[in-house]
Amino acid sequence: MNAPVQGMAPAATGWRGLAVGALELEVETERPLPAIEHAGAALRGLLGRALSRQVCPLPQPACAGCALRAGCAYPLAFKPATLPGDEARLPGYLPHAWRVPTGGRRLGLRLHLFGPGLAQAGTIAQALCAAAAELDWAGGGGGRVRRLHDAGSGRPFAADALLTPLPWPVLPAGGPVQVRLCTPLATKHAGADPLWPALRTRLQRLVKLYGDGSALDLPPAAQAPWRLVSAQGRTVGLPRNGEHARLARGWRGRLTLAELTPQAAELLAAGLLLHAGADTTLGFGRIDVKM
C-alpha cells in the first residue's frame, strides 16, 4: 500500500505552501470482508459518519443553518462547501490507498490530509477510533482499530499530537515516464491526454485554497507541458454514492510521457500525494509514476 515510487528522491515536506500528512489505519472487522469494486466511496461515507458522531449533537448534521459551523471539525475537514463563502472549497482529505481483502478481516487505509484536514487530524483519528465498533467497514460490519500510525514519522499517532508532514516527492524533468491511474480518473475533459487538464485544474485550486495562494502560470488545458507518447486505457463507470453522481464515467489506464518540462515534473510529483481530477474524496485520481 505504501511502496516507494521508482526513480524519485524525497525533498522538503511541502510544496508551494502545501503540506500533506497521512494517517495509516488497520481495522479488524467483525465479519469477513465482501468483494467490493471500489472501496473509496464506502470509506468516505465511513469517515463522515465517524466525524459527525464525534462532534455533532444532531442525528444528522445540518451545517447550513448551524451557528457553530465556522469552528466545527465536521464542515472544516469534511464538508467545507457548507461554510459561509466557501461553496467551492475543496475538502482537505482523500482516501489515498486501501487494502480490503475479500474474505479477510483486516482492512487497511491510508488517509491523506492537508489544509483544514491536516489541522483536524487529531479529531479525525479520535472519531474513527471512538466509532469503529458502530460503523460498517466496507461491508465487514463493526470493527476495532488495531493500528493507527503517523505515516510521516512511522510512529503510533495520538489524538493530541500533530501529524508529521510527508516528504515531498521529486521527479526529474525530461523522461520518459510511465504514469498509471491506480484508481479511475474522474474528469469531464475529453481528448487524447485525459491527465493534464485534470491535474492542472486540481493543483491550481489547492495552491490557491491551502497553499501560498500563488498563480502557477500553467499552460492551457489543451497544451500539456509534456509530449504524450502513448495512452493505453479505457473508459470506466465510476462507483458512487448519492450526491456524487455528477460524473458517471472516468478513465483508467497508463500513459507514457516524454519531454517533461521542469514544471511538468513538479506537478506530476504533487499529484502523487494530492491525486488528479474530480471527486478525489472517493479515492479517484490516484497516480503512480515510474521512470
Side-chain angles (χ1 to χ4, degrees), residues 52-71:
S52 67
R53 289 185 186 210
Q54 182 72 15
V55 302
C56 184
L58 302 176
Q60 292 291 332
C63 302
C66 180
L68 304 176
R69 61 183 176 178

Side-chain angles (χ1 to χ4, degrees), residues 14-37:
W15 171 73
R16 294 186 177 265
L18 271 170
V20 177
L23 286 174
E24 291 185 338
L25 295 89
E26 185 178 84
V27 177
E28 182 178 9
T29 58
E30 62 183 18
R31 300 192 301 269
L33 291 158
I36 186 168
E37 180 185 0

Side-chain angles (χ1 to χ4, degrees), residues 103-116:
R105 293 179 56 201
R106 290 291 181 94
L107 178 149
L109 169 64
R110 179 174 172 126
L111 189 67
H112 280 192
L113 302 170
F114 45 91

Side-chain angles (χ1 to χ4, degrees), residues 174-186:
V177 299
Q178 187 175 84
V179 181
R180 178 171 67 96
L181 269 299
C182 306
T183 58
L185 178 68

Side-chain angles (χ1 to χ4, degrees), residues 22-251:
L23 286 174
E24 291 185 338
L25 295 89
E26 185 178 84
V27 177
E28 182 178 9
T29 58
E30 62 183 18
R31 300 192 301 269
L33 291 158
I36 186 168
E37 180 185 0
H38 181 82
L43 295 172
R44 177 195 182 278
L46 182 149
L47 173 61
R49 288 189 293 275
L51 196 54
S52 67
R53 289 185 186 210
Q54 182 72 15
V55 302
C56 184
L58 302 176
Q60 292 291 332
C63 302
C66 180
L68 304 176
R69 61 183 176 178
C72 177
Y74 181 81
L76 284 172
F78 189 72
K79 279 195 172 180
T82 62
L83 295 172
D86 286 342
E87 291 78 6
R89 188 171 288 266
L90 297 172
Y93 74 94
L94 57 86
H96 176 68
W98 52 83
R99 183 180 64 256
V100 186
T102 301
R105 293 179 56 201
R106 290 291 181 94
L107 178 149
L109 169 64
R110 179 174 172 126
L111 189 67
H112 280 192
L113 302 170
F114 45 91
L118 188 57
Q120 299 293 332
T123 303
I124 291 171
Q126 192 174 39
L128 288 169
C129 292
E134 302 172 28
L135 299 171
D136 182 4
W137 293 83
R144 179 173 56 158
V145 177
R146 299 295 299 266
R147 181 177 180 270
L148 176 65
H149 269 60
D150 174 350
S153 69
R155 296 190 294 268
F157 182 69
D160 59 351
L162 297 176
L163 273 182
T164 304
L166 296 171
W168 205 268
V170 175
L171 274 171
V177 299
Q178 187 175 84
V179 181
R180 178 171 67 96
L181 269 299
C182 306
T183 58
L185 178 68
T187 177
K188 63 181 180 181
H189 299 283
D193 182 351
L195 178 60
W196 167 242
L199 183 67
R200 173 188 184 276
T201 302
R202 175 165 172 77
L203 294 182
Q204 179 64 88
R205 290 183 67 189
L206 287 177
V207 169
K208 285 186 176 180
L209 288 169
Y210 305 133
D212 59 16
S214 62
L216 298 184
D217 191 24
L218 300 175
Q223 185 181 333
W226 55 61
R227 179 172 61 85
L228 177 64
V229 178
S230 65
Q232 299 174 322
R234 67 189 191 281
T235 301
V236 295
L238 297 180
R240 303 177 170 278
N241 284 340
E243 68 200 73
H244 299 275
R246 181 171 58 86
L247 294 171
R249 305 192 71 77
W251 192 88

